[in-house]
Amino acid sequence: MISTELKSHFLRLYQIAFSDDNFDILEMQMLYKFAEERGLTKEQLNDILLNPSHDSSIPKL
């Protein structure tokens, strides 16, 4: 199971990539690379981005 914190992390990165109205394929490739480094498949990342949950988490400092 993927933690809420990790899902939230990828959703924030996705939002940042879209924030300049110039979402580039390289940004998506980087998200896939980050996901792979954290043990997620492309399908899992796609599910996170396409079906965001209402649960979110902000990391504690």
Side-chain angles (χ1 to χ4, degrees):
M1 180 161 185
I2 304 168
S3 71
T4 301
E5 290 82 11
L6 189 56
K7 289 179 184 179
S8 297
H9 175 70
F10 279 105
L11 287 171
R12 283 190 298 275
L13 289 175
Y14 192 60
Q15 289 173 329
I16 291 168
F18 266 106
S19 68
D20 64 357
D21 293 326
N22 187 25
F23 187 72
D24 190 90
I25 188 69
L26 295 175
E27 291 171 311
M28 194 66 208
Q29 290 172 344
M30 185 168 278
L31 286 174
Y32 283 129
K33 181 177 182 260
F34 290 159
E36 182 181 344
E37 290 172 352
R38 286 154 182 82
L40 300 177
T41 65
K42 286 184 178 185
E43 291 77 20
Q44 288 172 309
L45 179 59
N46 288 340
D47 187 54
I48 291 169
L49 300 178
L50 296 174
N51 303 299
S53 95
H54 294 288
D55 295 332
S56 62
S57 174
I58 297 174
K60 295 178 182 177
L61 300 176

